[in-house]
């Protein structure tokens, strides 16, 4: 019999496969045309997400990227609009500049701190041109990201979000939260999702990250926001027909996988503190708040992160290189505590092996 080797896929929380219960729900999903507004399970999912986030309405969209793009386009529907966002935010770094190239919205970046926040006084100083003077675009929107992916899944505390929310109200602006992993933030902070996003005008939530659904995101906001969002979704080609099949999997994901996020966070801490004990690996376990870990090699190590990643792939352990000097590992519900222990022991063996061969 052929040995099936073990695979531990830590590249992202997007790599999960639909579970048996998801596939069962997908198989029997009652469907209809969602562009016409009749798919019953899509409507059920949207109602559920609106409830969980404390907003009036919700809309299923094909991806988080499209969810953010639609949200920005709806809030900045006047030509010459500007959005203030973090210089290390997913919207700015990883979404092909769509708000500018497709939306004609001008991005005004402000420095992201290591914890994913942006200093409130810097945000306030960046707001410009409420009176529509000749030279400047007009700020209409502020975007936050929770959890903040590129800073290693850091949670923005509710007090901070409330303060940014107050600032947006004071200046007549809107607040959008890229909440791709808002459920991770909620679980880690012990604050309900609806409370976390209370001051936001819109939120984009990924179903296919930690929640483990195969496809989709949901955006939430007021009824009038969602009515406009529906038209933009159609314009972008994101209106789809019998999506009940996808939404059925998402409903199972919410029910069965949200409670497992705490275990993902626990496993991430376990992995980070294990890595921290391995010679040559640089990781700060205290910086791990949710399910994302970034690690580097110590400056004096002769072994590069790239070599480590390649060598671990040969043992079936997959991570994602992020630039030349760091790599990312993301925990999800299909990684067990035993997978974490296995990963740590492979790490140890791999590093000893490379060192014995003279490093690189
Ligand atoms: C993944 C992600 C997105 C985009 O989601 P896709 O479904 O991959 O388009 C947006 N924001 C953050 C913070 C993400 O992690």
């Amino acid at each position: 019999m052929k040995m099936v080797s073990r695979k531990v896929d830590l590249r992202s929380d997007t790599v999960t496969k639909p579970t048996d219960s998801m596939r069962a729900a997908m198989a029997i999903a009652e469907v209809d045309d969602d562009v016409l507004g009749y798919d019953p399970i899509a409507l059920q999912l949207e109602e559920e997400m609106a409830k969980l986030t404390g907003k009036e309405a919700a809309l299923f969209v094909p991806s988080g990227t499209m969810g953010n793009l639609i949200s920005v386009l709806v809030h900045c529907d006047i030509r010459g609009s500007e959005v203030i966002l973090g210089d290390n935010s997913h919207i700015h770094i990883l979404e092909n500049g769509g708000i500018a190239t497709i939306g004609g919205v001008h991005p005004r970046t402000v420095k992201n701190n290591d914890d994913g926040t942006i200093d409130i006084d810097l945000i306030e100083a960046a707001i410009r041109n409420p009176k529509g003077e000749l030279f400047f675009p007009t700020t209409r929107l502020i975007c936050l990201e929770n959890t903040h992916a590129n800073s290693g899944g850091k949670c923005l505390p509710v007090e901070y979000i409330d303060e940014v929310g107050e600032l947006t109200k004071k200046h007549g602006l809107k607040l959008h939260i890229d909440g791709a992993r808002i459920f991770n933030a909620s679980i880690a902070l012990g604050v309900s999702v609806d409370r976390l996003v209370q001051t936001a005008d819109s939120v984009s939530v990924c179903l296919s990250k930690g929640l483990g659904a195969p496809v989709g995101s949901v955006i939430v906001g007021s009824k009038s926001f969602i009515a406009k969002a529906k038209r933009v979704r159609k314009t972008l080609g994101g209106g789809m027909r019998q999506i009940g099949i996808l939404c059925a999997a998402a409903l199972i994901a919410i029910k069965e996988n949200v409670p497992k996020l705490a275990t993902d966070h626990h496993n991430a801490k376990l992995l980070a503190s294990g890595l921290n004990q391995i010679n040559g690996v640089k990781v700060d376990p205290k910086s791990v708040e949710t399910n994302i870990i970034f690690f580097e090699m110590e400056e004096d190590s002769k072994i590069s992160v790239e070599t480590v990643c390649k060598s671990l792939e040969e043992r079936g352990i997959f991570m994602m290189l992020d630039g030349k000097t760091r790599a990312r590992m993301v925990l999800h519900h299909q990684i067990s505590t035993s997978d974490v222990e296995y990963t740590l022991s492979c790490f140890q063996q791999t590093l000893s092996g490379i060192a014995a061969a003279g490093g690189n």
Side-chain angles (χ1 to χ4, degrees):
M1 209 170 72
K2 192 166 169 267
M3 282 284 288
V4 180
S5 61
R6 187 164 181 175
K7 181 174 174 185
V8 183
D9 197 343
L10 297 159
R11 288 171 301 168
S12 178
D13 46 8
T14 56
V15 301
T16 54
K17 308 281 196 294
T19 58
D20 290 345
S21 53
M22 284 180 200
R23 287 180 187 273
M26 293 167 90
I28 59 160
E30 190 193 324
V31 295
D32 203 336
D33 191 329
D34 183 64
V35 171
L36 302 181
Y38 288 104
D39 187 280
I41 303 182
L43 295 172
Q44 194 189 330
L45 171 69
E46 289 166 351
E47 197 181 319
E48 172 80 9
M49 285 300 276
K51 202 171 83 196
L52 284 169
T53 55
K55 302 296 179 202
E56 282 176 6
L59 187 67
F60 183 90
V61 292
S63 68
T65 300
M66 194 188 281
N68 284 330
L69 179 58
I70 291 172
S71 302
V72 173
L73 296 202
V74 170
H75 292 308
C76 299
D77 60 348
I78 303 172
R79 214 166 164 75
S81 293
E82 184 167 74
V83 52
I84 295 173
L85 75 177
D87 65 351
N88 199 19
S89 62
H90 197 282
I91 295 178
H92 189 59
I93 305 274
L94 288 161
E95 299 182 14
N96 272 327
I99 62 167
T101 56
I102 294 175
V105 178
H106 190 248
R108 181 96 189 267
T109 54
V110 180
K111 188 181 171 302
N112 268 124
N113 297 316
D114 288 346
D115 63 1
T117 60
I118 311 169
D119 289 346
I120 307 248
D121 51 350
L122 291 184
I123 298 178
E124 188 155 30
I127 297 172
R128 51 181 181 166
N129 209 23
K131 297 204 186 84
E133 285 162 35
L134 188 59
F135 292 96
F136 316 114
T138 304
T139 308
R140 295 219 156 73
L141 175 68
I142 297 170
C143 291
L144 296 176
E145 184 177 316
N146 201 11
T147 65
H148 193 270
N150 264 349
S151 65
K154 298 271 176 32
C155 304
L156 306 187
V158 67
E159 299 79 12
Y160 171 78
I161 302 169
D162 284 356
E163 222 177 307
V164 177
E166 269 167 40
L167 186 73
T168 55
K169 296 225 165 33
K170 181 172 141 198
H171 291 273
L173 311 174
K174 302 290 186 198
L175 174 62
H176 172 71
I177 298 180
D178 176 355
R181 298 188 179 84
I182 195 74
F183 281 92
N184 293 82
S186 163
I187 296 278
L189 293 166
V191 179
S192 65
V193 170
D194 62 327
R195 177 63 193 88
L196 266 185
V197 303
Q198 194 174 298
T199 54
D201 297 283
S202 60
V203 189
S204 171
V205 183
C206 280
L207 302 161
S208 61
K209 297 275 167 86
L211 301 194
V215 179
S217 281
V218 171
I219 50 177
V220 297
S222 68
K223 280 187 184 144
S224 83
F225 169 83
I226 291 298
K228 291 178 194 162
K230 209 173 269 185
R231 294 200 62 190
V232 179
R233 182 183 70 172
K234 191 77 187 83
T235 307
L236 295 174
M240 298 184 290
R241 305 298 176 178
Q242 284 73 27
I243 60 170
I245 287 181
L246 304 175
C247 297
L251 281 167
I252 299 282
I254 293 168
K255 190 165 122 221
E256 294 184 357
N257 293 345
V258 170
K260 296 181 190 159
L261 294 175
T263 308
D264 297 344
H265 300 173
H266 172 77
N267 282 338
K269 289 196 177 79
L270 209 63
L271 183 52
S273 45
L275 288 173
N276 189 40
Q277 280 162 29
I278 298 176
N279 254 344
V281 182
K282 204 162 89 180
V283 60
D284 177 11
K286 284 197 298 299
S287 75
V288 176
E289 296 178 7
T290 55
N291 66 333
I292 302 176
I293 301 171
F294 282 107
F295 75 90
E296 302 184 352
M297 298 304 290
E298 296 282 5
E299 278 91 34
D300 60 359
S301 168
K302 292 199 186 70
I303 305 170
S304 73
V305 171
E306 197 178 354
T307 307
V308 175
C309 287
K310 274 205 189 115
S311 171
L312 280 166
E313 274 188 23
E314 284 161 20
R315 293 167 191 262
I317 293 167
F318 294 82
M319 299 172 285
M320 202 182 269
L321 261 181
D322 181 64
K324 284 230 171 303
T325 58
R326 69 174 191 171
R328 189 181 83 158
M329 301 165 114
V330 186
L331 281 291
H332 52 76
H333 74 100
Q334 286 168 347
I335 299 291
S336 65
T337 303
S338 137
D339 289 330
V340 169
E341 284 156 5
Y342 175 71
T343 300
L344 285 169
S345 82
C346 287
F347 230 101
Q348 183 78 67
Q349 286 166 26
T350 295
L351 287 183
S352 317
I354 300 169
N360 161 350

